Amino acid sequence: MYNAANHIQDFLAFGEFGGVNPSIEDSSTFTFLTSEKMAEIFSTEIEGCYLYSRHLNPTNKYLSDALALLEGTEDAQVTGSGMAAISCAILGICSCGDEIVSSHTLYGGTYALMKNFLPKLGITTKFVDITNLESVRKNITEKTKIIYCETLSNPMLELADLPELRKICDEFGIKLMVDNTFTPMIISPIKLGADVVIHSLTKYINGASDAVGGVICGTHEFISSLRDVNSGSTMLLGPTMDSIRASSILKNLRTLHIRMHQHSKNAMFIAEKFEEMGIKTIYPGLKSHPQHEMMKTFLNDGFGFSGMVTIDVKTDEIANKLLPMMQENLIGYFAVSLGFYKTLFSAPTKSTSSEVDRDMMAEIGMSDSVIRFSFGLDNDIERTLERLMYCFKEVGLI
Ligand SMILES: *Cc1c(COP(=O)(O)O)cnc(C)c1O
């Protein structure tokens, strides 16, 4: 088992004067001592030498190194958002004329990027049911460069069979790119065969809902190609994270293992109760989840099955009444995003998945009556359950 929590616990970065927190390098540019050194630093990446913060900043490097330890990769590069990480990682591999085979259940922004934006650059995507390996294989052509999926998909919580997808990638000599935003600590995609792992740091990893950020984790060769001054996507498209923000995200990363444990514990408790109440519940920790057994074989022990639970409340009207009512009853916030200390809930068809077209929604079973929860760190989850049951009774769901 890969123990990311131990690696992060042992991560060492002293402050400039021996402080217990690393110093923040609040500089956009760096000094050189000789012209020769300047030319050398611009032509090759030299460990410990910095030229300009859009290329690399020491504080961003601390956060990147800690995230490489989280995912078990050689290197990582933080970016200003999760979408920046996704687009820069794809553009680091694909050129005009290339194809992507992607899961059809994706974060709405990623779906829109692949469906509407990348075709403008001549990069096209075939959307498939990622759990259907035959269909994945059939859609690969000699132009395909990447198989793309989310470990646990948004919002239908479908698990990708990463070891089997790895085999397909090896067969065709292509890359497996995985968005692990829903399952940091819980699943280590690299250990299951991924080549590149992406996160939106905005969610669980930062966990404070005060920042937007992303990361690309992969081999040193791949990550430094993204920083190349002549051709790298993170260098030339400029999705740079601010160093002050990198410092604050690094501090929050230290409690990720405790938070993931508590999010998952609360979600498991509630998902079981929802199911007992006869509500259609999707949660990979439940035996009723089609990939429950597979997920068990993927898990790093001790962090549960994640804090995300998706339910179907039967009608659009019930969903519209429930969302504000749950907020009024202090269950949490009616807001998109995930990984906050409070529970967050939203209707994906009208928000985070509104970019997905209606036919595709029908194909993946996502309707207007679907509500997605990100369970918080509630100490007293039974009290939360009582409040939920009160709301469900008020709207006639139970
Ligand atoms: C939020 C999210 C993203 C996009 O990340 P941003 O930080 O908002 O740019 C990508 N993938 C998943 C699964 C997400 O939940």
Side-chain angles (χ1 to χ4, degrees), residues 67 94 101 119 129 199 215 235 266 274 281 287 298 316:
L67 292 166
C94 293
V101 170
D129 173 356
H199 279 279
V215 69
M235 180 63 185
N266 285 344
F274 280 175
T281 309
K287 286 201 178 69
F298 288 5
D316 193 12

Side-chain angles (χ1 to χ4, degrees), residues 75-77 216-227 234:
D75 207 346
Q77 171 83 6
I216 307 162
C217 304
T219 61
H220 177 65
E221 190 190 359
F222 178 61
I223 299 299
S224 68
S225 80
L226 303 180
R227 287 194 287 255
T234 64

Side-chain angles (χ1 to χ4, degrees), residues 80-86 106-110 148 150 152-154 179-182 198-203 211-214 337-338 352 372:
S81 70
M83 284 313 300
I86 294 166
L106 285 179
Y107 174 70
T110 312
Y148 187 97
E150 294 169 2
L152 198 59
S153 77
N154 179 18
D179 179 338
N180 200 31
T181 300
F182 278 25
I198 281 152
H199 279 279
S200 165
L201 304 179
T202 318
K203 318 295 170 55
V212 176
S337 199
L338 50 130
T352 45
R372 184 188 83 177

Side-chain angles (χ1 to χ4, degrees), residues 142-174:
E142 72 261 12
K143 292 180 187 158
T144 309
K145 291 282 152 64
I146 301 173
I147 295 182
Y148 187 97
C149 63
E150 294 169 2
T151 318
L152 198 59
S153 77
N154 179 18
M156 303 311 284
L157 309 181
E158 214 172 65
L159 189 69
D161 189 342
L162 300 179
E164 286 302 318
L165 292 170
R166 167 80 264 150
K167 286 185 198 159
I168 299 176
C169 285
D170 285 341
E171 203 177 303
F172 293 93
I174 59 178

Side-chain angles (χ1 to χ4, degrees), residues 37-64:
K37 205 69 195 166
M38 175 162 148
E40 192 187 343
I41 293 171
F42 265 87
S43 60
T44 48
E45 199 170 292
I46 305 172
E47 178 89 28
C49 291
Y50 296 91
L51 48 105
Y52 188 63
S53 282
R54 171 157 44 76
H55 177 256
L56 194 56
N57 168 291
T59 311
N60 291 21
K61 185 161 185 337
Y62 285 137
L63 178 59
S64 298

